């Protein structure tokens, strides 16, 4: 039988350069998932310390395990493409340090940043990849990831709806500022991603095929800006912010 990497190349009609780039990006993806698991585990500790309602903490406690499962899925996909690629990794930038936050406000800020912005945007981006892919194996990968990211993002709106009743107006404005900061930080990374070599973006890449930025912007509008507006937080997407990010 043909090696899986050759099957991928045949189904997706990709070049050897695109395959090599995909192997690299799929190798980086498990590290990102490990980082998410670490950050979310720290958040669960912060929620427990802040004594938020037990049912919210119980729901969130399941999410780090989801991220570890995602790491395995991404690693297996890299293997299916022919194996992982050598990458440099600084643990200090990947793994979150244990949280010292102990208040509802601090937990709400973390939820807004990690789940509302991070997981919300990821959900929108992965939904686009799921609808666009021509590769059956990747379709299954995207379905699994979308299922979990949808649950994680939905938790943000449940938690923030509760936190809104617990926080006064100055505290809620702090959550809103932190949310906008998180969006600004994310948007600032888009140009670096979009400027990667063209071979990075292919039918088997977790960054998708073709122009990256429009897909990223649609995910932001649908899965971050709109739902945050429903919980009373406006996201600043003016040209001034975008210009500063660039």
């Amino acid at each position: 039988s043909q090696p899986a990497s050759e099957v991928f190349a045949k189904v997706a009609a990709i070049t050897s350069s695109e395959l090599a780039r995909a192997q690299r990006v799929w190798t980086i993806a498990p590290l990102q998932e490990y980082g998410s698991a670490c950050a979310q585990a720290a958040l669960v500790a912060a929620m427990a310390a802040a004594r938020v309602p037990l049912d919210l903490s119980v729901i969130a406690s399941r999410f780090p395990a989801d991220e570890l499962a995602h790491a395995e899925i991404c690693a297996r996909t890299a293997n299916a493409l022919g194996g992982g690629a050598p990458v440099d990794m600084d643990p200090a930038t990947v793994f979150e340090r244990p949280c010292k936050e102990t208040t509802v406000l601090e937990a709400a800020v973390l939820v807004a940043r990690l789940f509302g912005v991070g997981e919300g945007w990821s959900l929108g981006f992965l939904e686009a990849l799921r609808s666009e892919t021509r590769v059956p194996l990747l379709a299954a990968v995207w379905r699994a990831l979308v299922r979990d990211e949808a649950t994680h993002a939905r938790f943000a709106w449940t938690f923030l709806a509760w936190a809104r009743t617990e926080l006064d107006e100055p505290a809620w404005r702090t959550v809103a500022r932190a949310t906008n900061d998180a969006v600004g930080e994310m948007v600032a990374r888009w140009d670096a991603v979009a400027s990667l070599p063209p071979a990075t973006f292919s039918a088997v890449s977790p960054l998708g095929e073709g122009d990256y930025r429009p897909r990223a912007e649609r995910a932001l509008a649908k899965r971050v800006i709109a739902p945050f507006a429903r919980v009373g937080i406006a996201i600043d997407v003016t040209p001034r912010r975008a210009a500063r990010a660039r």
Side-chain angles (χ1 to χ4, degrees), residues 37 40-41 43-45 47 54-67 115 152 155:
Q40 292 177 18
L43 171 56
V44 173
M47 291 172 59
L54 182 59
D55 55 345
L56 293 174
S57 295
V58 169
I59 292 171
S61 70
R62 304 166 185 158
F63 298 159
D66 291 342
E67 300 300 326
F115 293 112
H152 299 180
F155 172 78

Side-chain angles (χ1 to χ4, degrees), residues 91-203:
T93 63
V94 174
F95 301 110
E96 189 81 12
R97 295 182 178 180
C99 283
K100 297 181 179 179
E101 289 80 355
T102 59
T103 69
V104 170
L105 170 58
E106 290 162 335
V109 165
L110 291 171
V111 168
R113 291 179 63 91
L114 288 175
F115 293 112
V117 177
E119 300 291 90
W121 179 85
S122 180
L123 169 61
F125 195 83
L126 292 172
E127 286 175 325
L129 296 181
R130 180 185 61 182
S131 67
E132 296 168 7
T133 188
R134 307 186 303 275
V135 183
L137 177 58
L138 291 187
V141 169
W142 301 142
R143 282 196 300 271
L145 298 185
V146 164
R147 178 195 63 220
D148 291 340
E149 299 296 78
T151 301
H152 299 180
R154 190 162 54 244
F155 172 78
W157 319 127
T158 301
F159 184 95
L160 292 173
W162 167 79
R164 184 68 183 90
T165 67
E166 299 291 314
L167 300 174
D168 59 20
E169 284 303 319
W172 191 247
R173 286 196 293 272
T174 298
V175 177
R177 284 194 298 272
T179 300
N180 275 274
D181 287 346
V183 170
E185 292 162 9
M186 180 174 67
V187 171
R189 294 190 291 268
W190 288 354
D191 283 339
V193 174
S195 65
L196 292 170
T200 306
F201 307 93
S202 71

Side-chain angles (χ1 to χ4, degrees), residues 8-106:
F8 267 99
K10 182 177 181 180
V11 171
I14 59 173
T15 66
S16 59
S17 178
E18 289 172 334
L19 180 61
R21 282 282 171 176
Q23 289 171 328
R24 176 175 175 79
V25 181
W26 278 109
T27 301
I28 293 171
L31 295 174
Q32 295 171 328
E33 299 292 351
Y34 270 125
S36 294
C38 191
Q40 292 177 18
L43 171 56
V44 173
M47 291 172 59
R51 298 180 295 282
V52 307
L54 182 59
D55 55 345
L56 293 174
S57 295
V58 169
I59 292 171
S61 70
R62 304 166 185 158
F63 298 159
D66 291 342
E67 300 300 326
L68 294 175
H70 297 173
E72 181 181 12
I73 289 171
C74 293
R76 287 181 178 274
T77 303
N79 285 337
L81 285 165
V87 296
D88 294 325
M89 185 269 289
D90 178 7
T93 63
V94 174
F95 301 110
E96 189 81 12
R97 295 182 178 180
C99 283
K100 297 181 179 179
E101 289 80 355
T102 59
T103 69
V104 170
L105 170 58
E106 290 162 335

